[in-house]
mmCIF file of all heavy atoms in Angstrom:
data_model
loop_
_atom_site.group_PDB
_atom_site.id
_atom_site.type_symbol
_atom_site.label_atom_id
_atom_site.label_comp_id
_atom_site.label_asym_id
_atom_site.label_seq_id
_atom_site.Cartn_x
_atom_site.Cartn_y
_atom_site.Cartn_z
ATOM 1 N N ALA W 263 -12.186 -1.527 -8.311
ATOM 2 C CA ALA W 263 -13.295 -0.635 -8.556
ATOM 3 C C ALA W 263 -14.646 -1.342 -8.320
ATOM 4 O O ALA W 263 -15.543 -0.779 -7.700
ATOM 5 C CB ALA W 263 -13.265 -0.098 -9.995
ATOM 6 N N ALA W 264 -14.758 -2.581 -8.755
ATOM 7 C CA ALA W 264 -15.986 -3.316 -8.529
ATOM 8 C C ALA W 264 -16.229 -3.610 -7.058
ATOM 9 O O ALA W 264 -17.346 -3.515 -6.580
ATOM 10 C CB ALA W 264 -15.915 -4.671 -9.303
ATOM 11 N N ALA W 265 -15.160 -3.905 -6.323
ATOM 12 C CA ALA W 265 -15.296 -4.174 -4.889
ATOM 13 C C ALA W 265 -15.771 -2.917 -4.133
ATOM 14 O O ALA W 265 -16.586 -2.978 -3.218
ATOM 15 C CB ALA W 265 -14.000 -4.685 -4.332
ATOM 16 N N ASN W 266 -15.269 -1.767 -4.531
ATOM 17 C CA ASN W 266 -15.654 -0.522 -3.879
ATOM 18 C C ASN W 266 -17.103 -0.129 -4.208
ATOM 19 O O ASN W 266 -17.814 0.447 -3.376
ATOM 20 C CB ASN W 266 -14.703 0.609 -4.272
ATOM 21 C CG ASN W 266 -13.377 0.529 -3.506
ATOM 22 O OD1 ASN W 266 -13.326 0.039 -2.383
ATOM 23 N ND2 ASN W 266 -12.345 1.073 -4.101
ATOM 24 N N ARG W 267 -17.519 -0.471 -5.429
ATOM 25 C CA ARG W 267 -18.940 -0.215 -5.780
ATOM 26 C C ARG W 267 -19.857 -1.096 -4.960
ATOM 27 O O ARG W 267 -20.915 -0.667 -4.515
ATOM 28 C CB ARG W 267 -19.146 -0.445 -7.285
ATOM 29 C CG ARG W 267 -18.575 0.600 -8.184
ATOM 30 C CD ARG W 267 -19.134 0.525 -9.615
ATOM 31 N NE ARG W 267 -18.766 -0.774 -10.211
ATOM 32 C CZ ARG W 267 -17.688 -0.980 -10.932
ATOM 33 N NH1 ARG W 267 -16.810 -0.008 -11.082
ATOM 34 N NH2 ARG W 267 -17.470 -2.167 -11.482
ATOM 35 N N ALA W 268 -19.431 -2.363 -4.763
ATOM 36 C CA ALA W 268 -20.270 -3.302 -3.996
ATOM 37 C C ALA W 268 -20.290 -2.937 -2.541
ATOM 38 O O ALA W 268 -21.331 -3.136 -1.883
ATOM 39 C CB ALA W 268 -19.742 -4.728 -4.199
ATOM 40 N N ASP W 269 -19.222 -2.358 -2.021
ATOM 41 C CA ASP W 269 -19.134 -2.025 -0.592
ATOM 42 C C ASP W 269 -18.306 -0.739 -0.445
ATOM 43 O O ASP W 269 -17.089 -0.815 -0.289
ATOM 44 C CB ASP W 269 -18.536 -3.161 0.205
ATOM 45 C CG ASP W 269 -18.420 -2.838 1.738
ATOM 46 O OD1 ASP W 269 -18.960 -1.788 2.133
ATOM 47 O OD2 ASP W 269 -17.761 -3.569 2.433
ATOM 48 N N PRO W 270 -18.952 0.407 -0.547
ATOM 49 C CA PRO W 270 -18.187 1.665 -0.469
ATOM 50 C C PRO W 270 -17.407 1.849 0.810
ATOM 51 O O PRO W 270 -16.406 2.605 0.841
ATOM 52 C CB PRO W 270 -19.295 2.743 -0.553
ATOM 53 C CG PRO W 270 -20.417 2.069 -1.296
ATOM 54 C CD PRO W 270 -20.377 0.626 -0.807
ATOM 55 N N SER W 271 -17.791 1.173 1.927
ATOM 56 C CA SER W 271 -17.065 1.281 3.161
ATOM 57 C C SER W 271 -15.730 0.564 3.114
ATOM 58 O O SER W 271 -14.917 0.740 4.016
ATOM 59 C CB SER W 271 -17.916 0.756 4.311
ATOM 60 O OG SER W 271 -18.074 -0.653 4.228
ATOM 61 N N ALA W 272 -15.528 -0.290 2.109
ATOM 62 C CA ALA W 272 -14.312 -1.081 2.057
ATOM 63 C C ALA W 272 -13.094 -0.160 1.885
ATOM 64 O O ALA W 272 -12.031 -0.429 2.506
ATOM 65 C CB ALA W 272 -14.341 -2.079 0.911
ATOM 66 N N GLY W 273 -13.192 0.853 1.075
ATOM 67 C CA GLY W 273 -12.135 1.839 0.939
ATOM 68 C C GLY W 273 -10.871 1.304 0.344
ATOM 69 O O GLY W 273 -9.776 1.787 0.700
ATOM 70 N N HIS W 274 -10.967 0.315 -0.522
ATOM 71 C CA HIS W 274 -9.745 -0.164 -1.192
ATOM 72 C C HIS W 274 -9.177 0.959 -2.088
ATOM 73 O O HIS W 274 -9.913 1.784 -2.638
ATOM 74 C CB HIS W 274 -10.085 -1.398 -2.073
ATOM 75 C CG HIS W 274 -10.700 -2.511 -1.299
ATOM 76 N ND1 HIS W 274 -10.090 -3.127 -0.254
ATOM 77 C CD2 HIS W 274 -11.915 -3.115 -1.433
ATOM 78 C CE1 HIS W 274 -10.874 -4.095 0.217
ATOM 79 N NE2 HIS W 274 -12.005 -4.098 -0.480
ATOM 80 N N VAL W 275 -7.871 0.978 -2.239
ATOM 81 C CA VAL W 275 -7.203 2.096 -2.923
ATOM 82 C C VAL W 275 -6.335 1.562 -4.053
ATOM 83 O O VAL W 275 -5.506 0.680 -3.858
ATOM 84 C CB VAL W 275 -6.305 2.858 -1.950
ATOM 85 C CG1 VAL W 275 -5.589 4.017 -2.654
ATOM 86 C CG2 VAL W 275 -7.111 3.362 -0.763
ATOM 87 N N HIS W 276 -6.554 2.103 -5.227
ATOM 88 C CA HIS W 276 -5.605 1.955 -6.338
ATOM 89 C C HIS W 276 -4.749 3.194 -6.340
ATOM 90 O O HIS W 276 -5.195 4.281 -6.746
ATOM 91 C CB HIS W 276 -6.325 1.782 -7.662
ATOM 92 C CG HIS W 276 -5.434 1.829 -8.868
ATOM 93 N ND1 HIS W 276 -5.806 2.408 -10.091
ATOM 94 C CD2 HIS W 276 -4.156 1.351 -9.034
ATOM 95 C CE1 HIS W 276 -4.810 2.269 -10.930
ATOM 96 N NE2 HIS W 276 -3.807 1.634 -10.328
ATOM 97 N N ASP W 277 -3.548 3.075 -5.893
ATOM 98 C CA ASP W 277 -2.702 4.243 -5.650
ATOM 99 C C ASP W 277 -1.677 4.429 -6.766
ATOM 100 O O ASP W 277 -0.810 3.585 -7.017
ATOM 101 C CB ASP W 277 -1.954 4.050 -4.315
ATOM 102 C CG ASP W 277 -0.958 5.165 -4.063
ATOM 103 O OD1 ASP W 277 -1.231 6.323 -4.385
ATOM 104 O OD2 ASP W 277 0.163 4.856 -3.519
ATOM 105 N N THR W 278 -1.816 5.561 -7.465
ATOM 106 C CA THR W 278 -0.843 5.932 -8.515
ATOM 107 C C THR W 278 -0.230 7.294 -8.240
ATOM 108 O O THR W 278 0.367 7.913 -9.106
ATOM 109 C CB THR W 278 -1.531 5.918 -9.909
ATOM 110 O OG1 THR W 278 -2.622 6.888 -9.870
ATOM 111 C CG2 THR W 278 -2.055 4.566 -10.244
ATOM 112 N N GLY W 279 -0.363 7.779 -7.020
ATOM 113 C CA GLY W 279 0.106 9.099 -6.668
ATOM 114 C C GLY W 279 1.603 9.208 -6.666
ATOM 115 O O GLY W 279 2.331 8.186 -6.524
ATOM 116 N N PRO W 280 2.155 10.407 -6.740
ATOM 117 C CA PRO W 280 3.590 10.635 -6.754
ATOM 118 C C PRO W 280 4.240 10.437 -5.402
ATOM 119 O O PRO W 280 5.462 10.190 -5.344
ATOM 120 C CB PRO W 280 3.748 12.061 -7.249
ATOM 121 C CG PRO W 280 2.477 12.752 -6.796
ATOM 122 C CD PRO W 280 1.420 11.704 -6.946
ATOM 123 N N GLU W 281 3.490 10.543 -4.337
ATOM 124 C CA GLU W 281 4.091 10.510 -2.987
ATOM 125 C C GLU W 281 4.089 9.092 -2.452
ATOM 126 O O GLU W 281 3.102 8.368 -2.509
ATOM 127 C CB GLU W 281 3.312 11.418 -2.024
ATOM 128 C CG GLU W 281 3.446 12.894 -2.411
ATOM 129 C CD GLU W 281 2.765 13.793 -1.425
ATOM 130 O OE1 GLU W 281 1.604 13.537 -1.026
ATOM 131 O OE2 GLU W 281 3.365 14.801 -1.005
ATOM 132 N N LEU W 282 5.241 8.717 -1.898
ATOM 133 C CA LEU W 282 5.391 7.431 -1.221
ATOM 134 C C LEU W 282 5.718 7.649 0.242
ATOM 135 O O LEU W 282 6.695 8.334 0.549
ATOM 136 C CB LEU W 282 6.479 6.574 -1.884
ATOM 137 C CG LEU W 282 6.772 5.226 -1.238
ATOM 138 C CD1 LEU W 282 5.571 4.313 -1.280
ATOM 139 C CD2 LEU W 282 8.001 4.565 -1.884
ATOM 140 N N GLY W 283 4.930 7.107 1.100
ATOM 141 C CA GLY W 283 5.152 7.248 2.529
ATOM 142 C C GLY W 283 3.955 6.863 3.336
ATOM 143 O O GLY W 283 4.035 5.985 4.205
ATOM 144 N N TRP W 284 2.815 7.512 3.083
ATOM 145 C CA TRP W 284 1.630 7.217 3.855
ATOM 146 C C TRP W 284 1.246 5.731 3.719
ATOM 147 O O TRP W 284 0.707 5.140 4.684
ATOM 148 C CB TRP W 284 0.470 8.113 3.456
ATOM 149 C CG TRP W 284 -0.050 7.889 2.069
ATOM 150 C CD1 TRP W 284 0.300 8.555 0.923
ATOM 151 C CD2 TRP W 284 -1.039 6.906 1.673
ATOM 152 N NE1 TRP W 284 -0.409 8.044 -0.130
ATOM 153 C CE2 TRP W 284 -1.221 7.050 0.276
ATOM 154 C CE3 TRP W 284 -1.758 5.932 2.362
ATOM 155 C CZ2 TRP W 284 -2.101 6.256 -0.423
ATOM 156 C CZ3 TRP W 284 -2.634 5.126 1.646
ATOM 157 C CH2 TRP W 284 -2.829 5.317 0.290
ATOM 158 N N GLN W 285 1.494 5.167 2.529
ATOM 159 C CA GLN W 285 1.154 3.788 2.330
ATOM 160 C C GLN W 285 1.919 2.835 3.270
ATOM 161 O O GLN W 285 1.402 1.882 3.820
ATOM 162 C CB GLN W 285 1.445 3.370 0.866
ATOM 163 C CG GLN W 285 0.825 4.300 -0.176
ATOM 164 C CD GLN W 285 1.737 5.464 -0.546
ATOM 165 O OE1 GLN W 285 2.607 5.856 0.207
ATOM 166 N NE2 GLN W 285 1.502 5.999 -1.723
ATOM 167 N N LEU W 286 3.245 3.134 3.402
ATOM 168 C CA LEU W 286 4.073 2.308 4.229
ATOM 169 C C LEU W 286 3.716 2.463 5.726
ATOM 170 O O LEU W 286 3.741 1.473 6.470
ATOM 171 C CB LEU W 286 5.550 2.699 4.039
ATOM 172 C CG LEU W 286 6.097 2.523 2.625
ATOM 173 C CD1 LEU W 286 7.402 3.272 2.471
ATOM 174 C CD2 LEU W 286 6.291 1.044 2.329
ATOM 175 N N ALA W 287 3.328 3.665 6.103
ATOM 176 C CA ALA W 287 2.963 3.886 7.508
ATOM 177 C C ALA W 287 1.589 3.332 7.836
ATOM 178 O O ALA W 287 1.358 2.870 8.954
ATOM 179 C CB ALA W 287 3.035 5.392 7.806
ATOM 180 N N ALA W 288 0.661 3.409 6.872
ATOM 181 C CA ALA W 288 -0.727 2.997 7.152
ATOM 182 C C ALA W 288 -0.909 1.492 7.075
ATOM 183 O O ALA W 288 -1.852 0.973 7.739
ATOM 184 C CB ALA W 288 -1.671 3.668 6.168
ATOM 185 N N ALA W 289 -0.079 0.800 6.361
ATOM 186 C CA ALA W 289 -0.275 -0.657 6.142
ATOM 187 C C ALA W 289 0.131 -1.446 7.358
ATOM 188 O O ALA W 289 1.211 -1.255 7.930
ATOM 189 C CB ALA W 289 0.489 -1.119 4.936
ATOM 190 N N ASP W 290 -0.771 -2.361 7.772
ATOM 191 C CA ASP W 290 -0.430 -3.267 8.896
ATOM 192 C C ASP W 290 0.556 -4.330 8.426
ATOM 193 O O ASP W 290 1.373 -4.813 9.188
ATOM 194 C CB ASP W 290 -1.719 -3.938 9.419
ATOM 195 C CG ASP W 290 -2.711 -2.927 9.976
ATOM 196 O OD1 ASP W 290 -2.309 -2.171 10.899
ATOM 197 O OD2 ASP W 290 -3.836 -2.854 9.477
ATOM 198 N N VAL W 291 0.426 -4.722 7.153
ATOM 199 C CA VAL W 291 1.312 -5.714 6.568
ATOM 200 C C VAL W 291 1.439 -5.407 5.110
ATOM 201 O O VAL W 291 0.537 -4.808 4.502
ATOM 202 C CB VAL W 291 0.790 -7.162 6.789
ATOM 203 C CG1 VAL W 291 -0.547 -7.346 6.101
ATOM 204 C CG2 VAL W 291 1.812 -8.206 6.368
ATOM 205 N N ALA W 292 2.597 -5.711 4.510
ATOM 206 C CA ALA W 292 2.855 -5.390 3.128
ATOM 207 C C ALA W 292 3.223 -6.638 2.365
ATOM 208 O O ALA W 292 3.850 -7.564 2.878
ATOM 209 C CB ALA W 292 3.940 -4.336 3.017
ATOM 210 N N ILE W 293 2.853 -6.660 1.078
ATOM 211 C CA ILE W 293 3.279 -7.682 0.141
ATOM 212 C C ILE W 293 4.005 -6.974 -0.978
ATOM 213 O O ILE W 293 3.448 -6.117 -1.682
ATOM 214 C CB ILE W 293 2.071 -8.449 -0.434
ATOM 215 C CG1 ILE W 293 1.197 -9.019 0.690
ATOM 216 C CG2 ILE W 293 2.537 -9.558 -1.385
ATOM 217 C CD1 ILE W 293 -0.141 -9.558 0.182
ATOM 218 N N VAL W 294 5.256 -7.300 -1.159
ATOM 219 C CA VAL W 294 6.126 -6.637 -2.142
ATOM 220 C C VAL W 294 6.925 -7.648 -2.925
ATOM 221 O O VAL W 294 7.102 -8.793 -2.498
ATOM 222 C CB VAL W 294 7.055 -5.602 -1.434
ATOM 223 C CG1 VAL W 294 6.265 -4.532 -0.714
ATOM 224 C CG2 VAL W 294 7.979 -6.311 -0.467
ATOM 225 N N ASP W 295 7.395 -7.204 -4.084
ATOM 226 C CA ASP W 295 8.272 -8.032 -4.913
ATOM 227 C C ASP W 295 9.722 -7.776 -4.531
ATOM 228 O O ASP W 295 10.051 -6.906 -3.735
ATOM 229 C CB ASP W 295 8.067 -7.682 -6.382
ATOM 230 C CG ASP W 295 6.666 -8.051 -6.885
ATOM 231 O OD1 ASP W 295 5.974 -8.798 -6.176
ATOM 232 O OD2 ASP W 295 6.304 -7.599 -7.984
ATOM 233 N N VAL W 296 10.602 -8.525 -5.197
ATOM 234 C CA VAL W 296 12.058 -8.289 -5.019
ATOM 235 C C VAL W 296 12.350 -6.942 -5.711
ATOM 236 O O VAL W 296 12.422 -6.865 -6.940
ATOM 237 C CB VAL W 296 12.891 -9.415 -5.630
ATOM 238 C CG1 VAL W 296 14.384 -9.091 -5.521
ATOM 239 C CG2 VAL W 296 12.582 -10.742 -4.947
ATOM 240 N N SER W 297 12.448 -5.898 -4.960
ATOM 241 C CA SER W 297 12.607 -4.537 -5.463
ATOM 242 C C SER W 297 12.986 -3.674 -4.302
ATOM 243 O O SER W 297 13.066 -4.100 -3.145
ATOM 244 C CB SER W 297 11.300 -4.048 -6.095
ATOM 245 O OG SER W 297 10.339 -3.793 -5.105
ATOM 246 N N ALA W 298 13.170 -2.398 -4.589
ATOM 247 C CA ALA W 298 13.502 -1.442 -3.543
ATOM 248 C C ALA W 298 12.337 -1.278 -2.515
ATOM 249 O O ALA W 298 12.586 -0.862 -1.398
ATOM 250 C CB ALA W 298 13.817 -0.054 -4.133
ATOM 251 N N MET W 299 11.115 -1.637 -2.907
ATOM 252 C CA MET W 299 10.015 -1.561 -1.956
ATOM 253 C C MET W 299 10.203 -2.435 -0.756
ATOM 254 O O MET W 299 9.649 -2.157 0.321
ATOM 255 C CB MET W 299 8.711 -1.917 -2.690
ATOM 256 C CG MET W 299 8.138 -0.783 -3.569
ATOM 257 S SD MET W 299 7.744 0.755 -2.688
ATOM 258 C CE MET W 299 6.410 0.141 -1.632
ATOM 259 N N ILE W 300 10.918 -3.541 -0.880
ATOM 260 C CA ILE W 300 11.226 -4.357 0.303
ATOM 261 C C ILE W 300 11.879 -3.511 1.376
ATOM 262 O O ILE W 300 11.516 -3.553 2.547
ATOM 263 C CB ILE W 300 12.164 -5.525 -0.061
ATOM 264 C CG1 ILE W 300 11.460 -6.557 -0.938
ATOM 265 C CG2 ILE W 300 12.706 -6.194 1.220
ATOM 266 C CD1 ILE W 300 12.362 -7.698 -1.328
ATOM 267 N N TYR W 301 12.798 -2.688 0.954
ATOM 268 C CA TYR W 301 13.636 -1.989 1.896
ATOM 269 C C TYR W 301 12.989 -0.672 2.347
ATOM 270 O O TYR W 301 13.222 -0.211 3.472
ATOM 271 C CB TYR W 301 15.028 -1.790 1.257
ATOM 272 C CG TYR W 301 15.504 -3.131 0.796
ATOM 273 C CD1 TYR W 301 15.279 -3.580 -0.519
ATOM 274 C CD2 TYR W 301 16.129 -4.024 1.646
ATOM 275 C CE1 TYR W 301 15.652 -4.846 -0.933
ATOM 276 C CE2 TYR W 301 16.505 -5.291 1.278
ATOM 277 C CZ TYR W 301 16.271 -5.706 -0.043
ATOM 278 O OH TYR W 301 16.641 -6.949 -0.434
ATOM 279 N N ASP W 302 12.146 -0.125 1.491
ATOM 280 C CA ASP W 302 11.309 0.996 1.943
ATOM 281 C C ASP W 302 10.422 0.507 3.109
ATOM 282 O O ASP W 302 10.245 1.192 4.109
ATOM 283 C CB ASP W 302 10.431 1.492 0.792
ATOM 284 C CG ASP W 302 11.211 2.223 -0.270
ATOM 285 O OD1 ASP W 302 12.345 2.663 0.014
ATOM 286 O OD2 ASP W 302 10.729 2.301 -1.407
ATOM 287 N N ARG W 303 9.858 -0.675 2.928
ATOM 288 C CA ARG W 303 9.003 -1.265 3.971
ATOM 289 C C ARG W 303 9.812 -1.716 5.173
ATOM 290 O O ARG W 303 9.422 -1.536 6.322
ATOM 291 C CB ARG W 303 8.214 -2.434 3.390
ATOM 292 C CG ARG W 303 7.380 -3.172 4.409
ATOM 293 C CD ARG W 303 6.260 -2.317 5.017
ATOM 294 N NE ARG W 303 5.481 -3.091 5.971
ATOM 295 C CZ ARG W 303 4.376 -2.626 6.538
ATOM 296 N NH1 ARG W 303 3.950 -1.411 6.267
ATOM 297 N NH2 ARG W 303 3.695 -3.392 7.398
ATOM 298 N N LEU W 304 10.964 -2.302 4.936
ATOM 299 C CA LEU W 304 11.798 -2.778 5.997
ATOM 300 C C LEU W 304 12.165 -1.679 6.972
ATOM 301 O O LEU W 304 12.254 -1.895 8.184
ATOM 302 C CB LEU W 304 13.088 -3.410 5.412
ATOM 303 C CG LEU W 304 13.960 -4.318 6.285
ATOM 304 C CD1 LEU W 304 13.168 -5.512 6.762
ATOM 305 C CD2 LEU W 304 15.198 -4.711 5.547
ATOM 306 N N ALA W 305 12.344 -0.456 6.443
ATOM 307 C CA ALA W 305 12.714 0.652 7.339
ATOM 308 C C ALA W 305 11.625 1.011 8.305
ATOM 309 O O ALA W 305 11.893 1.674 9.315
ATOM 310 C CB ALA W 305 13.045 1.863 6.452
ATOM 311 N N THR W 306 10.373 0.576 8.092
ATOM 312 C CA THR W 306 9.303 0.828 9.046
ATOM 313 C C THR W 306 9.338 -0.181 10.199
ATOM 314 O O THR W 306 8.670 0.064 11.233
ATOM 315 C CB THR W 306 7.927 0.747 8.381
ATOM 316 O OG1 THR W 306 7.637 -0.605 8.048
ATOM 317 C CG2 THR W 306 7.894 1.628 7.146
ATOM 318 N N GLY W 307 9.970 -1.340 10.019
ATOM 319 C CA GLY W 307 10.008 -2.362 11.045
ATOM 320 C C GLY W 307 8.682 -3.142 11.139
ATOM 321 O O GLY W 307 8.488 -3.867 12.107
ATOM 322 N N LYS W 308 7.774 -3.002 10.150
ATOM 323 C CA LYS W 308 6.513 -3.675 10.190
ATOM 324 C C LYS W 308 6.542 -4.941 9.355
ATOM 325 O O LYS W 308 7.363 -5.079 8.436
ATOM 326 C CB LYS W 308 5.388 -2.750 9.717
ATOM 327 C CG LYS W 308 5.099 -1.601 10.631
ATOM 328 C CD LYS W 308 3.939 -0.774 10.107
ATOM 329 C CE LYS W 308 3.512 0.330 11.036
ATOM 330 N NZ LYS W 308 2.328 1.062 10.525
#
């Protein structure tokens, strides 16, 4: 929140929405823990 106030063009996102998908497609690179998110991301090939 502080970073976005300092630079509104940064567009950082705190995502708590119910839908999962756009995040995986939009991200150039992902950082994930040992969890199912590894494999959600792996399916994109990115």
Side-chain angles (χ1 to χ4, degrees):
N266 282 333
R267 286 195 299 270
D269 180 9
S271 69
H274 303 299
V275 180
H276 172 217
D277 174 37
T278 59
E281 293 183 313
L282 177 63
W284 67 265
Q285 307 89 336
L286 298 166
D290 299 302
V291 64
I293 305 169
V294 298
D295 294 346
V296 176
S297 70
M299 282 299 295
I300 290 178
Y301 308 92
D302 291 339
R303 175 63 179 187
L304 196 61
T306 70
K308 291 184 176 183

